[in-house]
Amino acid sequence: MNQPTKKKKVTIKDVAKHAKSSMSTVSMVVNGKGYVSDIKRKEVLGAIRQLGYVPSAPARSLASNRTNNIGFILRESHFTLSEPFYTRIFLGAEFEAKNQNYYVLLATVADDYEREADTPRLLKERNVDGIIIAGKVNSELLMEVEDSGIPFVLVDYQYKSYPSITIDNRNGSIEAVRYLMEKGHKDIAFLGSDIRHPSISDRLEGYQLAMLKAGHQDTKSMTFIDEDKSPTLQTGFDLGMRILGGKRKPTAVFCANDALALGLIKYAKQKKLKIPEDLAVVGFDDVEGGKFSTPQLTTVRVFKEQMGELALRLLAELLDDIPTLNSKFERSNHMLTVPAELIIRESA
Amino acid sequence: MNQPTKKKKVTIKDVAKHAKSSMSTVSMVVNGKGYVSDIKRKEVLGAIRQLGYVPSAPARSLASNRTNNIGFILRESHFTLSEPFYTRIFLGAEFEAKNQNYYVLLATVADDYEREADTPRLLKERNVDGIIIAGKVNSELLMEVEDSGIPFVLVDYQYKSYPSITIDNRNGSIEAVRYLMEKGHKDIAFLGSDIRHPSISDRLEGYQLAMLKAGHQDTKSMTFIDEDKSPTLQTGFDLGMRILGGKRKPTAVFCANDALALGLIKYAKQKKLKIPEDLAVVGFDDVEGGKFSTPQLTTVRVFKEQMGELALRLLAELLDDIPTLNSKFERSNHMLTVPAELIIRESA
DNA sequence: TTGATATATCGAAGCGCTTCTATAAATTTC
DNA sequence: GAAATTTATAGAAGCGCTTCGATATATCAA
């Protein structure tokens, strides 16, 4: 009679006994290293299955000095942001983490980060093997991570020449502007803010490049930037006044992101302008709100999930490579760029 | 290349030596249990500070048989949903977890969940002390969690009488309908879908209650539900046709959620109806998109972050209570409800 | 005063795993 | 065909912590 008592945890020892071998052999089978004969391997695998053995994460960590955790650091305001941009990056990372057998620990940090006081627990406790940092974060924090010696990968941001995953903002912008030109537009304006953010300045650059190539020398008079504001709906609305209030009115506007574009559209609609007939608008990011707006927003899609996935993969690679790090043949370029894709909807 | 002096890990042993006491005493100080004299405590605390000692999470887990991790289970589609609803609940939980010294491990599960194959790792490995389940999930999974014996709390869902945090949908709806009445509306319709979801049926109930109380007997002819569709923008748009195509046109519509409301507005605007003059619309959830829409959506706010926070707190309480669980005086009701609040914007 | 009880500290036994070492058999080398 | 090397397995140390006695002293109730 089998008693359905509280099933005691099955340990590696039980497996060893059951498979008539040693703990070390079982460990080797589980981790796929060392020398194990095929017969033994099969016996051990069988025992594992029969007993339903699952290794204990903490025990492994303790013995091997690896945590199998990846930290994901994100500014609080990037979560509370109206758009689930970074959330999706996180999701992508989490997805890939499953494949790679990592847990992802999320740590949000305050915007007014202060060293010591706000250091994420996972850093203090060194409870991760590697870290993904998403978006722009306080440089104090960046240095702290750097100092910790824990390998890390940046997403949608760059710092020195540390590994990073960024958007191909320049080419995405060029594609957007070209599309506007194809539609017959000549007076194409650029609308932006917070120009210090590398992503945004790259988008401006793409705009300028495309305009220049098409023979438009004067982009300056068509560039509307409020550099101290963050790129929100409100900012777009406010800049709308400047754009549509001037004497030389553009027929199309390429916006540095979707929130700005939505804000501009709101202002334009209020001024009884028809979109896209009177004013064509293209955004950047492909946020959810753009699908629901009237008209639906034409924009440049950023593959957010994919960026997270890539970041995790790159990090995992880095972690495995560590013994090779001293090699002279070390592949030094770990800065990846993911393409952005024009999504044609109604607003242009 | 500066060579970082790899600082050796400071262990409890080092602290003990430095404070001239034993490991067990240090442990007791750190965990605040057992008997320790004030003098010793101060010495130990001093040593900890001086050496910068941080306990090792895996070692603690292994020795104490607690992980200090909380699992957060969520359906994949609830993340990819256009709205960061559950994301915000997660955020709230994560926030509170920091206070309570837990890590939150997120596990997303597929919609077509199958036992065994898809069991989240954190369940298989029993790598958590407790679990938060957000939203409606497959009942297989629910049973699996139940069987595991790991304490859990549901958020925005209920199962048997397990601990849960839910929205006060009924009162929120009543408030919304009352507001519409105050504005002079008599013909108020209800728009909904997926009526089997408890949240949605509660909202319908609130609507009916409010209508009845105001002397409107016939709510049926004013209730528009597509029960097989999920409550999305598209569904709202489609139902708009039915609502506005009938002979008895309502002057106001209370929608089961914001996505439906936004869809309805889209349709109404297409039909050249002015909102709120020709048709007042109220939603439910207070999603981001509602702030950006034209007109901005009047809705019922759900405190998502707070729900997550509450869930974590309740779970933590449960975990601490476990020794008391056998007590006859055990407080049996762990099913909490959080209020919903009417947000007045432009659409009504 | 005297057991009983509360307070205080320490040493040591594990928690479940990885990995180093020892040992031996099988295989390769020249 | 003896030495060197590769393959195969087991045993045991120890990762950093918690916690269970053991022991000792201080405090209390009668």
Side-chain angles (χ1 to χ4, degrees):
Chain A
M1 269 182 231
N2 50 352
Q3 38 189 359
T5 47
K6 55 177 167 185
K7 46 188 167 186
K8 248 193 62 203
K9 209 174 324 188
V10 177
T11 74
I12 199 173
K13 210 171 180 176
D14 302 323
V15 176
K17 211 171 286 169
H18 197 273
K20 295 189 211 312
S21 56
S22 71
M23 283 163 58
S24 42
T25 302
V26 176
S27 174
M28 285 165 129
V29 169
V30 169
N31 297 295
K33 41 173 102 164
Y35 297 111
V36 182
S37 67
D38 281 1
I39 311 116
K40 268 273 172 250
R41 173 169 290 109
K42 256 159 213 156
E43 283 173 2
V44 169
L45 253 19
I48 287 176
R49 203 155 303 130
Q50 270 185 53
L51 300 179
Y53 167 69
V54 181
S56 144
R60 286 179 109 152
S61 293
L62 186 56
S64 65
N65 207 23
R66 306 180 71 248
T67 64
N68 267 295
N69 291 153
I70 298 290
F72 192 101
I73 297 182
L74 190 51
R75 264 169 58 183
E76 238 165 71
S77 67
H78 279 161
F79 246 144
T80 55
L81 214 57
S82 62
E83 272 304 317
F85 184 90
Y86 290 106
T87 309
R88 287 177 173 273
I89 294 181
F90 173 81
L91 205 64
E94 154 67 19
F95 180 81
E96 179 64 13
K98 260 189 267 181
N99 297 335
Q100 306 251 3
N101 239 306
Y102 283 107
Y103 284 114
V104 179
L105 304 184
L106 178 66
T108 53
V109 293
D111 285 20
D112 54 344
Y113 182 86
E114 278 177 48
R115 193 158 187 154
E116 305 292 314
D118 303 329
T119 309
R121 284 178 57 215
L122 52 83
L123 236 187
K124 268 192 216 152
E125 298 185 359
R126 306 188 64 83
N127 200 10
V128 291
D129 299 332
I131 292 178
I132 293 175
I133 300 176
K136 182 178 180 177
V137 297
N138 191 302
S139 62
E140 274 291 328
L141 174 57
L142 235 25
M143 289 172 55
E144 220 170 325
V145 173
E146 191 180 14
D147 286 351
S148 76
I150 299 175
F152 65 99
V153 170
L154 302 157
V155 188
D156 193 36
Y157 198 58
Q158 302 197 317
Y159 175 62
K160 298 185 181 171
S161 48
Y162 282 102
S164 64
I165 312 282
T166 47
I167 306 164
D168 191 350
N169 289 295
R170 197 165 301 129
N171 284 314
S173 302
I174 291 176
E175 210 187 323
V177 174
R178 282 221 183 112
Y179 171 73
L180 251 15
M181 288 170 176
E182 274 168 30
K183 287 274 171 182
H185 293 283
K186 294 216 177 339
D187 294 336
I188 303 174
F190 177 87
L191 192 162
S193 73
D194 188 17
I195 203 66
R196 274 149 303 173
H197 190 111
S199 271
I200 292 190
S201 63
D202 283 355
R203 288 170 195 184
L204 171 57
E205 218 175 298
Y207 160 78
Q208 290 169 332
L209 249 43
M211 291 295 276
L212 228 69
K213 202 153 192 177
H216 303 272
Q217 301 293 344
D218 176 33
T219 56
K220 249 188 193 148
S221 71
M222 287 301 243
T223 300
F224 298 82
I225 292 174
D226 193 337
E227 48 181 298
D228 293 326
K229 293 269 174 65
S230 52
T232 62
L233 191 89
Q234 187 60 51
T235 308
F237 187 90
D238 294 345
L239 282 170
M241 281 184 235
R242 288 211 349 234
I243 289 191
L244 300 173
K247 48 186 131 297
R248 188 175 156 209
K249 292 195 180 91
T251 62
V253 183
F254 169 58
C255 305
N257 78 1
D258 283 356
L260 290 169
L262 259 13
L264 171 64
I265 288 178
K266 190 169 180 181
Y267 178 79
K269 276 179 18 184
Q270 200 167 298
K271 287 288 164 193
K272 306 293 180 205
L273 290 181
K274 281 206 174 11
I275 296 182
E277 294 81 357
D278 301 335
L279 187 72
V281 177
V282 177
F284 206 115
D285 279 355
D286 187 28
V287 303
E288 287 302 325
K291 283 186 219 158
F292 299 156
S293 66
T294 334
Q296 290 178 26
L297 191 63
T298 292
T299 187
V300 181
R301 174 169 295 169
V302 172
F303 295 94
K304 309 162 196 87
E305 280 87 354
Q306 201 198 69
M307 290 178 75
E309 200 180 316
L310 267 176
L312 199 294
R313 204 176 299 164
L314 178 56
L315 184 53
E317 225 170 78
L318 246 40
L319 295 178
D320 290 343
D321 272 347
I322 279 189
T324 331
L325 262 186
N326 301 320
S327 154
K328 280 186 181 164
F329 305 106
E330 177 198 358
R331 173 180 35 143
S332 64
N333 196 349
H334 283 302
M335 304 178 79
L336 305 182
T337 278
V338 307
E341 181 192 48
L342 184 66
I343 302 293
I344 297 170
R345 287 198 281 246
E346 302 167 353
S347 71
Chain B
M1 298 279 162
N2 48 354
Q3 192 158 349
T5 47
K6 57 174 166 189
K7 44 191 165 187
K8 249 193 58 202
K9 208 174 325 188
V10 177
T11 74
I12 199 173
K13 210 170 179 177
D14 302 323
V15 176
K17 211 170 288 168
H18 196 274
K20 293 189 211 315
S21 56
S22 71
M23 282 162 59
S24 40
T25 302
V26 176
S27 174
M28 286 164 129
V29 169
V30 170
N31 295 295
K33 42 173 101 165
Y35 295 111
V36 182
S37 67
D38 280 1
I39 310 116
K40 268 272 172 251
R41 173 169 290 107
K42 256 161 213 153
E43 282 173 3
V44 169
L45 254 19
I48 287 177
R49 202 155 304 129
Q50 269 184 53
L51 300 178
Y53 166 70
V54 180
S56 145
R60 283 179 111 152
S61 293
L62 186 56
S64 66
N65 208 24
R66 307 179 72 248
T67 64
N68 267 294
N69 292 152
I70 298 290
F72 192 100
I73 297 182
L74 190 51
R75 264 169 58 182
E76 238 165 71
S77 69
H78 279 160
F79 245 143
T80 56
L81 215 56
S82 63
E83 272 304 319
F85 185 91
Y86 291 106
T87 309
R88 285 175 175 274
I89 293 181
F90 173 81
L91 205 65
E94 154 67 19
F95 178 82
E96 179 63 13
K98 260 189 269 182
N99 297 336
Q100 306 251 2
N101 239 306
Y102 282 106
Y103 283 115
V104 179
L105 303 183
L106 176 67
T108 54
V109 294
D111 285 20
D112 54 344
Y113 182 85
E114 279 177 48
R115 192 159 189 155
E116 305 292 313
D118 303 329
T119 309
R121 284 178 56 215
L122 52 82
L123 237 188
K124 269 192 216 153
E125 298 184 359
R126 306 188 64 83
N127 201 11
V128 291
D129 299 332
I131 291 178
I132 293 175
I133 300 177
K136 183 177 180 177
V137 298
N138 191 301
S139 62
E140 274 291 327
L141 174 57
L142 235 27
M143 289 171 54
E144 222 170 323
V145 173
E146 191 181 14
D147 287 350
S148 76
I150 299 175
F152 65 99
V153 170
L154 301 156
V155 188
D156 193 36
Y157 198 58
Q158 302 196 320
Y159 175 62
K160 298 186 181 170
S161 47
Y162 282 102
S164 64
I165 312 283
T166 47
I167 306 164
D168 191 350
N169 290 295
R170 195 165 303 129
N171 285 316
S173 302
I174 291 176
E175 211 186 324
V177 174
R178 283 222 182 111
Y179 171 72
L180 251 14
M181 288 170 175
E182 276 168 30
K183 287 275 172 180
H185 293 282
K186 294 216 178 338
D187 294 335
I188 303 173
F190 177 86
L191 192 161
S193 74
D194 188 18
I195 203 69
R196 274 149 302 172
H197 190 111
S199 272
I200 292 189
S201 63
D202 283 356
R203 288 169 197 184
L204 171 58
E205 217 174 298
Y207 160 78
Q208 290 169 333
L209 249 45
M211 291 295 277
L212 226 72
K213 202 153 193 175
H216 302 273
Q217 302 292 345
D218 175 32
T219 56
K220 249 189 193 146
S221 72
M222 287 300 243
T223 300
F224 299 82
I225 292 175
D226 193 337
E227 47 180 299
D228 293 326
K229 293 270 176 63
S230 53
T232 62
L233 190 88
Q234 186 61 52
T235 308
F237 187 91
D238 295 345
L239 282 170
M241 280 185 238
R242 288 206 354 231
I243 290 190
L244 301 173
K247 49 187 131 276
R248 188 174 156 210
K249 293 195 179 93
T251 62
V253 183
F254 170 58
C255 305
N257 79 1
D258 283 356
L260 290 170
L262 260 13
L264 171 64
I265 288 179
K266 190 170 181 183
Y267 177 81
K269 278 182 13 186
Q270 199 167 298
K271 287 288 164 194
K272 305 293 180 204
L273 289 181
K274 281 207 173 12
I275 295 182
E277 294 82 357
D278 302 334
L279 185 73
V281 178
V282 177
F284 207 115
D285 278 355
D286 187 29
V287 303
E288 288 301 326
K291 281 186 221 159
F292 299 156
S293 66
T294 334
Q296 289 178 27
L297 190 64
T298 292
T299 188
V300 181
R301 173 168 297 170
V302 172
F303 296 94
K304 308 162 195 88
E305 280 87 353
Q306 201 198 71
M307 290 178 75
E309 199 181 315
L310 267 177
L312 199 294
R313 205 176 298 165
L314 177 56
L315 185 54
E317 226 171 76
L318 247 40
L319 294 178
D320 290 343
D321 272 347
I322 279 190
T324 331
L325 264 185
N326 301 319
S327 154
K328 280 187 181 165
F329 305 107
E330 177 197 358
R331 172 181 37 144
S332 65
N333 196 349
H334 283 302
M335 304 178 78
L336 306 182
T337 277
V338 306
E341 180 193 48
L342 184 67
I343 302 294
I344 297 170
R345 287 199 280 247
E346 303 167 353
S347 71

